[in-house]
Amino acid sequence: MADAGQVGLADALAAAQITIELAARTGSTSLNELSMKTRTILGALTTDIWVGCRSLAVTRSIASMPEANPNADPSHIFYGRYVTFTGALSIVRAVAQANVAALGGQPQPGPNRLTDFLIIGDRFAGDSPEQFTSGKATRAAALRAKGSAIQVLTEPEFLAAIADTAAGGTRPVVITRSRSVRFMPPTADSYRDYWSWQSASLRVASPATGGEPCRVCGAAIKAEARRIHRDRQVCSVLCNSGLKRRWARQVANGTLCGYEAPHAVVAEARAETSRAPHLFATVGTANFPYEHGRWPIDGDVIERHGIHTRYVRLSSINAFVAPQFLTDTMANLGLTGDRVLLLICEEYELFGATFIEEDGSPMVFSMGHVFSDEGILAAGRLPTAEPLHFGRELISDVDENGVEFRWDAWIFSPFEPPVLWTPARHALSDRRKAATKERAEASR
């Protein structure tokens, strides 16, 4: 039996081979270039801690693909083949995948070296993936350039193929035609954030009460369907996802206008980033214990139970030498010192880092690591003599206009940073619940 050292060496060699292959596929000549092209933050390994790589890509849950039917007709074009789809079809994507599986094919979420067929929707009439604009088509074109024999089928060709079953073969599942979906999004300026604007864009004028046809597949909507589904007139989670994909596609191709932050929100962001630095203290006698704003800025100090976190712009510290892990992350994101705020714990020789947009507002991505003389530490309970945690403090509040906002700050604290609602936010939630209950009773 191989000892631990041999196993570790084999793992290291396998990891190196995978990295070399990824570099070759992406045309990268260095680890930093590879991390940028794969949108990955490189990990770090010291004598004290291991920090794994982290992806910057937005991840989406992928429904499990239906398995190929082994008893299907072996002579069918899809039998034993790998099939993937791109573009909007006139049938629900899941139904198209089920048809492929029923005929012995294996649906895939995206093209790879095993793919045999790429089905292109959106009324595509060409014969090459280079003629269609989508991420999957681009990947398929790259694979074909490397010798992969991926065949392209248009939707009419696909529908003809699944209808062409040999005698004695397994019939495909019933095709449910999807309905033409139109969206009438409100003006972006009437909503303070992207998500509330998107939600309003997906709703219909009158919520479904039961029996109405689904906007995606045409099936009848049940009266006991989830409220969000009735508001959007869809029958299921699957169709709700399909509705959002079609909406996003129409926004992307310019059929629908995209979101722009309202003037009031832009003005508030500018006011917040141009305000004077502030000490946000713990106030034990108040009805809410923590002072907060909209987000921390350069010069702010956040005091939590005697522990202070000072926010300092990296470019303002002349003698500071940033750790390699931090400089690599900045290079991956294309950031200068003006876009990095150091989070310095004044009671300990520890600091973290966060990143800001050009207007001074926080970036969605943040690191969640602590740097010390002993190396890199993960967020959470830190190995100090006294209890000390590093993490995100999230406080939901309501401004003077009755609009919700959230304070999101990385802090050092003797206690695990909390997720809290202020009394004003609880009151807003109670009003919303009462209004929802009133609408539900009025619709009966």
Side-chain angles (χ1 to χ4, degrees):
M1 179 178 290
D3 59 27
Q6 291 175 324
V7 173
L9 178 60
D11 288 345
L13 288 173
Q17 291 169 351
I18 292 172
T19 303
I20 293 171
E21 177 64 21
L22 285 173
R25 293 187 180 189
T26 58
S28 302
T29 58
S30 66
L31 280 177
N32 278 341
E33 185 179 359
L34 177 61
S35 67
M36 293 181 66
K37 289 186 176 180
T38 58
R39 294 189 58 76
T40 303
I41 295 294
L42 295 176
L45 178 64
T46 69
T47 56
D48 300 312
I49 193 169
W50 171 80
V51 179
C53 296
R54 298 178 62 187
S55 173
L56 295 176
V58 177
T59 59
R60 299 186 180 185
S61 60
I62 300 176
S64 58
M65 296 290 108
E67 295 185 0
N69 174 19
N71 300 317
D73 178 11
S75 66
H76 195 275
I77 186 176
F78 290 145
Y79 186 86
R81 302 296 185 90
Y82 288 87
V83 182
T84 190
F85 297 84
T86 186
L89 303 172
S90 64
I91 62 175
V92 177
R93 178 73 62 85
V95 174
Q97 292 168 344
N99 273 278
V100 170
L103 294 168
Q106 181 56 59
Q108 294 177 299
N112 57 33
R113 60 185 180 82
L114 298 176
T115 304
D116 297 294
F117 290 100
L118 174 67
I119 315 300
I120 301 182
D122 283 329
R123 299 180 181 179
F124 178 72
D127 58 4
S128 173
E130 291 90 345
Q131 301 169 351
F132 188 76
T133 303
S134 77
K136 293 180 183 179
T138 301
R139 289 198 296 274
L143 288 167
R144 292 205 343 170
K146 294 180 179 180
S148 179
I150 298 177
Q151 301 181 54
V152 171
L153 296 181
T154 64
E155 183 181 2
E157 291 170 334
F158 168 71
L159 295 177
I162 62 176
D164 182 21
T165 54
T170 303
R171 291 182 58 82
V173 297
V174 176
I175 299 175
T176 304
R177 296 283 175 178
S178 66
R179 305 168 67 86
S180 176
V181 180
R182 297 185 61 188
F183 301 95
M184 298 297 292
T187 59
D189 204 57
S190 62
Y191 289 85
R192 293 179 58 86
D193 62 80
Y194 173 87
W195 299 112
S196 58
W197 172 74
Q198 181 205 51
S199 180
S201 302
L202 296 171
R203 288 198 296 264
V204 294
S206 299
T209 57
E212 294 88 346
C214 173
R215 297 166 72 192
V216 176
C217 72
I221 298 173
K222 297 180 179 179
E224 61 272 20
R226 294 174 57 186
R227 177 74 192 195
I228 190 172
H229 294 163
R230 288 185 282 120
D231 285 345
R232 297 176 180 180
Q233 199 174 318
V234 292
C235 66
S236 65
V237 172
L238 180 64
C239 286
N240 186 45
S241 297
L243 184 74
K244 290 190 290 185
R245 284 195 299 270
R246 296 181 184 202
W247 176 86
R249 190 176 294 114
Q250 290 188 30
V251 171
N253 64 27
T255 304
L256 298 176
C257 294
Y259 175 79
E260 293 183 5
H263 297 300
V265 174
V266 174
E268 289 173 4
R270 289 173 178 170
E272 183 70 12
T273 54
S274 61
R275 65 172 171 80
H278 185 77
L279 169 64
F280 296 97
T282 302
V283 186
T285 58
N287 62 350
F288 188 78
Y290 303 125
E291 292 182 337
H292 58 279
R294 291 184 177 272
W295 58 75
I297 64 169
D298 178 27
D300 279 348
V301 177
I302 304 174
E303 179 272 321
R304 293 296 182 251
H305 306 282
I307 299 296
H308 296 77
T309 305
R310 181 177 296 277
Y311 277 66
V312 182
R313 198 181 296 266
L314 175 59
S315 59
S316 67
I317 308 178
N318 295 327
F320 180 78
V321 178
Q324 187 64 42
F325 185 60
L326 177 57
T327 56
D328 288 345
T329 302
M330 293 168 57
N332 291 341
L333 297 174
L335 302 179
T336 63
D338 288 336
R339 300 274 300 278
V340 180
L341 292 179
L342 297 182
L343 322 177
I344 301 174
C345 180
E346 297 186 346
E347 286 72 24
Y348 297 86
E349 293 183 356
L350 301 170
F351 70 93
T354 189
F355 311 111
I356 57 178
E357 303 286 359
E358 292 183 356
D359 63 0
S361 60
M363 287 182 64
V364 174
F365 174 77
S366 54
M367 290 187 64
H369 296 99
V370 178
F371 302 93
S372 70
D373 292 339
E374 300 179 354
I376 304 174
L377 306 173
R381 173 68 165 86
L382 302 177
T384 52
E386 299 295 328
L388 184 66
H389 290 78
F390 178 69
R392 294 174 71 182
E393 180 181 75
L394 303 173
I395 299 175
S396 292
D397 201 354
V398 180
D399 66 16
E400 61 276 6
N401 297 316
V403 179
E404 179 185 358
F405 69 91
R406 188 175 72 170
W407 161 267
D408 184 348
W410 285 87
I411 64 167
F412 291 92
S413 171
F415 306 102
E416 184 176 353
V419 178
L420 296 174
W421 283 14
T422 65
R425 179 62 181 84
H426 279 290
L428 175 63
S429 178
D430 291 340
R431 291 195 298 272
R432 288 175 174 173
K433 290 178 181 177
T436 299
K437 182 178 180 180
E438 183 178 346
R439 287 197 301 269
E441 292 177 349
S443 63
R444 292 177 181 172

